[in-house]
Amino acid sequence: MKMEEEILKHGLMIKRSLNKKIYTPINYRQRWFTLTRKFLIYYDTENEEKRKERGRIELELVHTVEVAIIAGNTEENRPQGISYPFQIGYQESGQDYILYVLAPTEKDRTEWIWAVRLACRFNKCLRGRYHPAIWNGKKWTCCKSSTRSTLGCENSSTWIAFVEESETNKENRIASAQSSPIMPGGTTPGTPSSKQKEKSSVIRSKVVVALYNYKAIEPGDLSLEKNAEYEVIDDSQEHWWKVRDAQGNIGFIPSNYVKEKELLGLQQYDWYVNDMSRQRSESLLKQEDKEGCFVVRNSSTKGLYTLSLYTKNPHPHVKHYHIKQNSKGEYYLSEKHCCASIPDLINYHRHNSGGLASRLKASPCDRSVPATAGLSHDKWEIDPQELMLLEELGSGQFGVVRRGKWRGSIDVAVKMMKEGTMSEDDFIEEAKVMTKLQHTNLVQLYGVCSKNRPIFIVTEYMRHGSLLNYLRRHEQSLVSNQGLLLDMCIQVCKGMAYLERHNYIHRDLAARNCLVGSENTVKVADFGLARYVLDDQYTSSGGSKFPIKWAPPEVLNYTRFSSKSDIWAYGVLMWEVFTCGKMPYGRLKNAEVVERVQKGLILERPKNCYKEVYDIMRKCWSPVPENRPSFRVLKEQLISVAQGLLVD
Ligand code: ADP
């Protein structure tokens, strides 16, 4: 069987007629649905020998996959009994169609929606708006609009952001944008080659909305005002886009500070915190310590949302509520109060506790603002005159690290490289590449001061310092919060999965090389730096500074580094996290550790550590590198352990 014919999902559901011929009445028929990579096909029966195909949708044409509302009384022929409708919108030969399907259970509906979304995640035609309810021949029953072709009255769910490989998806879209940059007039230059490009002869200009304020610093940059709209003129560089504001000013902005208007979804609301974990939302809300303070976050079950609410009654604690959907697709926290959208539901509960521990009052103060890739577009050489050096944060292998302010406003950490400790020219070349690596769980490299000696490496500032010290300092409170420890591991794993996708090997992953920021964010630092160290004691596996305790057999034997050797080190890092910063192998000397590792002896299970978590560590310590999982797989496994162990 060809890959594209492989069946991704199948099942019996009820299909509403597409009503291509306007004058025939609507009907509902049971069909056997089959999803492949290219088509959603429906047959009259499951039996392969006898069945007849009744129709198919080319997935490339799909622009909407959402739940639907088909109220019982609006359609005479709708079958009796509870079912769970969803809709697949697509455009064929210039005509818009919506296929409505009734799934037998809510779980089936969610699974089908996600299976179709996954297959359509790279579609260029995805839309940001849709109608939750149906067209009854005269009007849309949701918004009562009588224009059939209106784009939709609801924002589509932000499902693109949830798709398993969201970064890959982004890269893919960036790659396609690079091959056809959008020009000021909204047209694409060059000759479009693929079928896809031929189809979209008119490309709408992309409009983005600012999620944060941003102050332009360099000439050529443009300031952003939170919630204002900007037209994208050039998004061919990944991290810095050229945009136009409402007054016609043009300049570069950091692309991670804006979101496409059509994909904005809940991101426009201050109370929405994306995929912040249960544990981090708890510590954030406890820190605020205000009655009724709340956030909405993605539940660990994909596609669902959770409301986390802080109350002082009867004692200060955080309650978590799943936002549920009924068969009509309406959202509710208590079945008595259903709303058409999540913002409506939040508004309702601002005025009525409606069964919650408290009325919803405020959301925590400003979301923390993400780091930009470099301090300005195309800037990685930083003028030391513009750096104000403040207190010392620590010192390490390469010298002293100090807190700093760049141009008096942006917090940075400045690593002052001891002379002779690294091959500087090679590193400076590499720094240009490293500033382009950007992920929430990687410490952002802003740039270098390379004109004078010692050279400075300027990075994002992380207020709580190294993860190792953080674990040791907070052992008392952390040891009883295994969920938070697991969450820290998941964050590191996400950052590492990003490096793995970019074929970037860390070579010195350990808790001491991760840093902790506000809201318990954990980020991986110092990636790739090990290659530029000149000190033999650090680089050779026989050296006294070599991180032997984090090294797998193939590194000890042949200095063979790979993403799989990073995986081994990651297993040791998990062990460090779950022991709250103990030294792996205790006081054993390096030579004794090597002997143990060669014999296949591994670190023991930390006290109180869940068996499921220790099983994952053990997978990282497989003696054969190929048998170790990838970070991508590891991430999925950790998330599912977290889901299984904790009530979300
Ligand atoms: P080296 O790589 O030279 O060994 P480190 O990166 O370990 O040095 O830094 C030494 C210490 O400085 C860390 O343990 C941490 O406490 C502090 N530090 C380093 N980078 C940062 C940063 N970006 N933000 C805050 N503190 C930092």
Side-chain angles (χ1 to χ4, degrees):
M1 186 190 282
K2 279 194 276 176
M3 197 173 112
E4 26 184 85
E5 287 165 10
E6 183 195 338
I7 293 172
L8 303 173
K9 186 167 176 61
H10 56 207
L12 213 52
M13 291 189 289
I14 294 169
K15 169 187 161 287
R16 179 182 186 260
S17 56
L18 278 166
N19 222 28
K20 288 189 175 172
K21 298 187 200 82
I22 293 172
Y23 300 109
T24 49
I26 296 286
N27 63 49
Y28 286 85
R29 299 230 192 281
Q30 194 165 59
R31 295 285 179 239
W32 179 255
F33 281 81
T34 303
L35 179 71
T36 69
R37 283 178 209 283
K38 294 196 83 168
F39 297 102
L40 177 67
I41 310 168
Y42 37 97
Y43 301 95
D44 50 0
T45 146
E46 181 184 348
N47 186 326
E48 264 187 58
E49 262 116 61
K50 290 196 197 146
R51 75 187 180 191
K52 223 171 123 195
E53 182 178 320
R54 290 302 185 151
R56 59 171 65 200
I57 296 176
E58 201 179 334
L59 296 178
E60 204 185 22
L61 308 179
V62 169
H63 54 66
T64 304
V65 189
E66 296 288 342
V67 294
I69 303 174
I70 308 181
N73 58 3
T74 52
E75 297 219 298
E76 280 175 27
N77 299 330
R78 184 174 166 187
Q80 299 293 306
I82 296 183
S83 56
Y84 296 83
F86 64 98
Q87 53 177 305
I88 300 174
Y90 62 101
Q91 199 175 51
E92 201 176 67
S93 316
Q95 193 72 35
D96 251 344
Y97 296 104
I98 304 177
L99 174 73
Y100 293 94
V101 186
L102 310 183
T105 66
E106 179 154 24
K107 183 166 171 280
D108 280 307
R109 172 167 73 177
T110 309
E111 285 175 4
W112 269 102
I113 288 180
W114 281 100
V116 180
R117 284 177 173 180
L118 204 62
C120 297
R121 67 194 189 278
F122 296 136
N123 284 7
K124 298 211 169 69
C125 53
L126 297 177
R127 288 191 189 161
R129 296 187 76 77
Y130 75 107
H131 289 287
I134 51 170
W135 172 260
N136 69 2
K138 296 194 184 75
K139 56 180 192 280
W140 287 102
T141 49
C142 36
C143 57
K144 316 286 183 260
S145 161
S146 55
T147 321
R148 188 167 188 177
S149 59
T150 52
L151 206 49
C153 54
E154 269 283 325
N155 283 335
S156 302
S157 330
T158 51
W159 58 275
I160 296 171
F162 303 143
V163 172
E164 180 207 25
E165 284 298 325
S166 59
E167 259 81 28
T168 318
N169 184 27
K170 192 173 152 209
E171 281 154 23
N172 212 307
R173 284 195 285 131
I174 286 159
S176 65
Q178 270 170 344
S179 59
S180 57
I182 298 169
M183 302 302 279
T187 53
T188 44
T191 26
S193 51
S194 74
K195 196 172 151 206
Q196 194 78 36
K197 281 177 206 153
E198 280 162 29
K199 261 186 226 144
S200 49
S201 52
V202 185
I203 293 186
R204 278 174 297 137
S205 61
K206 181 156 77 178
V207 176
V208 292
V209 176
L211 301 174
Y212 314 93
N213 289 324
Y214 170 73
K215 195 163 169 293
I217 304 173
E218 289 284 307
D221 292 348
L222 187 73
S223 290
L224 291 174
E225 194 184 316
K226 192 171 161 181
N227 295 329
E229 291 183 11
Y230 301 82
E231 184 193 354
V232 178
I233 294 172
D234 180 358
D235 60 1
S236 57
Q237 285 186 54
E238 185 175 353
H239 302 302
W240 292 89
W241 289 353
K242 195 185 253 187
V243 302
R244 188 197 326 266
D245 68 13
Q247 289 73 44
N249 303 312
I250 291 177
F252 281 96
I253 51 116
S255 59
N256 58 332
Y257 276 48
V258 294
K259 182 95 184 166
E260 227 172 298
K261 191 178 174 193
E262 296 207 333
L263 305 176
L264 197 57
L266 296 179
Q267 292 232 24
Q268 60 192 299
Y269 300 101
D270 279 338
W271 40 257
Y272 178 59
V273 291
N274 249 304
D275 52 7
M276 181 181 278
S277 67
R278 174 191 172 97
Q279 293 73 27
R280 268 190 297 149
S281 69
E282 283 188 1
S283 63
L284 175 67
L285 292 169
K286 280 182 189 157
Q287 212 172 301
E288 289 281 316
D289 192 29
K290 285 192 199 123
E291 178 71 18
C293 197
F294 73 100
V295 294
V296 173
R297 56 188 175 85
N298 301 340
S299 150
S300 55
T301 313
K302 277 184 180 171
L304 300 183
Y305 300 91
T306 303
L307 169 83
S308 302
L309 169 65
Y310 181 79
T311 175
K312 294 185 181 173
N313 287 324
H315 55 87
H317 67 295
V318 176
K319 289 198 73 121
H320 303 273
Y321 303 89
H322 269 157
I323 299 182
K324 299 207 182 79
Q325 268 183 296
N326 62 18
S327 59
K328 290 193 234 154
E330 295 168 331
Y331 297 92
Y332 66 89
L333 288 161
S334 101
E335 262 167 300
K336 280 188 233 141
H337 314 289
C338 301
C339 296
S341 69
I342 293 180
D344 286 352
L345 184 69
I346 297 300
N347 259 342
Y348 174 82
H349 285 283
R350 278 186 196 278
H351 303 289
N352 309 278
S353 68
L356 303 183
S358 152
R359 215 156 46 72
L360 303 183
K361 290 181 184 157
S363 43
C365 297
D366 271 350
R367 289 185 276 209
S368 61
V369 176
T372 55
L375 289 169
S376 166
H377 79 282
D378 239 2
K379 184 179 178 74
W380 51 271
E381 179 66 47
I382 292 170
D383 181 354
Q385 304 276 339
E386 296 177 348
L387 279 176
M388 182 164 65
L389 293 175
L390 304 164
E391 77 274 11
E392 189 174 317
L393 296 171
S395 64
Q397 170 80 19
F398 301 108
V400 173
V401 182
R402 288 175 69 172
R403 187 161 77 87
K405 284 259 180 211
W406 186 67
R407 296 213 172 156
S409 67
I410 296 182
D411 279 321
V412 294
V414 182
K415 202 179 256 198
M416 304 156 117
M417 308 302 283
K418 241 189 283 174
E419 282 182 74
T421 53
M422 82 180 322
S423 50
E424 291 172 351
D425 293 343
D426 292 344
F427 170 73
I428 292 163
E429 267 312 297
E430 177 69 9
K432 291 182 204 167
V433 178
M434 284 162 74
T435 50
K436 298 215 159 66
L437 293 171
Q438 185 179 51
H439 187 273
T440 339
N441 300 109
L442 294 183
V443 174
Q444 183 65 49
L445 175 67
Y446 285 137
V448 292
C449 306
S450 65
K451 301 274 188 273
N452 302 315
R453 293 295 178 268
I455 61 169
F456 293 173
I457 298 180
V458 182
T459 68
E460 177 181 2
Y461 167 67
M462 301 287 288
R463 62 192 291 194
H464 297 299
S466 95
L467 173 62
L468 182 62
N469 288 335
Y470 187 83
L471 290 164
R472 290 178 177 169
R473 272 203 316 271
H474 296 90
E475 180 176 356
Q476 286 253 305
S477 59
L478 287 174
V479 80
S480 57
N481 198 342
Q482 299 266 308
L484 197 54
L485 297 177
L486 188 54
D487 181 61
M488 289 175 162
C489 293
I490 292 173
Q491 292 188 64
V492 173
C493 192
K494 286 181 176 172
M496 290 305 297
Y498 175 91
L499 288 184
E500 179 184 72
R501 266 205 307 284
H502 287 77
N503 297 319
Y504 212 95
I505 307 171
H506 191 300
R507 288 160 199 259
D508 194 7
L509 179 62
R512 64 181 173 279
N513 282 331
C514 296
L515 294 164
V516 183
S518 49
E519 295 163 15
N520 281 312
T521 43
V522 181
K523 304 194 184 201
V524 178
D526 289 344
F527 32 94
L529 224 56
R531 279 170 300 161
Y532 304 100
V533 178
L534 290 173
D535 186 348
D536 272 357
Q537 293 301 317
Y538 176 82
T539 52
S540 125
S541 59
S544 60
K545 295 183 197 155
F546 190 85
I548 296 261
K549 292 178 169 179
W550 286 260
E554 76 274 11
V555 167
L556 297 174
N557 294 332
Y558 322 106
T559 333
R560 193 176 290 156
F561 289 99
S562 64
S563 290
K564 297 293 186 192
S565 60
D566 279 352
I567 288 275
W568 178 291
Y570 177 79
V572 181
L573 178 143
M574 280 182 74
W575 188 92
E576 293 182 273
V577 170
F578 278 90
T579 54
C580 288
K582 293 236 157 44
M583 174 57 93
Y585 310 96
R587 280 188 218 169
L588 285 193
K589 301 238 168 53
N590 276 352
E592 292 168 308
V593 174
V594 173
E595 208 181 297
R596 280 183 71 122
V597 170
Q598 307 286 26
K599 277 197 207 141
L601 295 173
I602 54 167
L603 289 162
E604 77 284 9
R605 172 168 145 191
K607 234 202 286 172
N608 301 327
C609 169
Y610 295 120
K611 180 181 167 297
E612 291 83 347
V613 174
Y614 186 56
D615 285 346
I616 292 186
M617 288 182 209
R618 287 180 19 192
K619 286 186 194 160
C620 299
W621 300 325
S622 164
V624 183
E626 292 72 37
N627 291 347
R628 292 171 213 149
S630 64
F631 281 105
R632 186 178 64 83
V633 168
L634 216 53
K635 184 179 88 183
E636 296 303 320
Q637 293 182 348
L638 287 165
I639 292 174
S640 87
V641 169
Q643 248 170 345
L645 296 180
L646 313 157
V647 197
D648 179 54

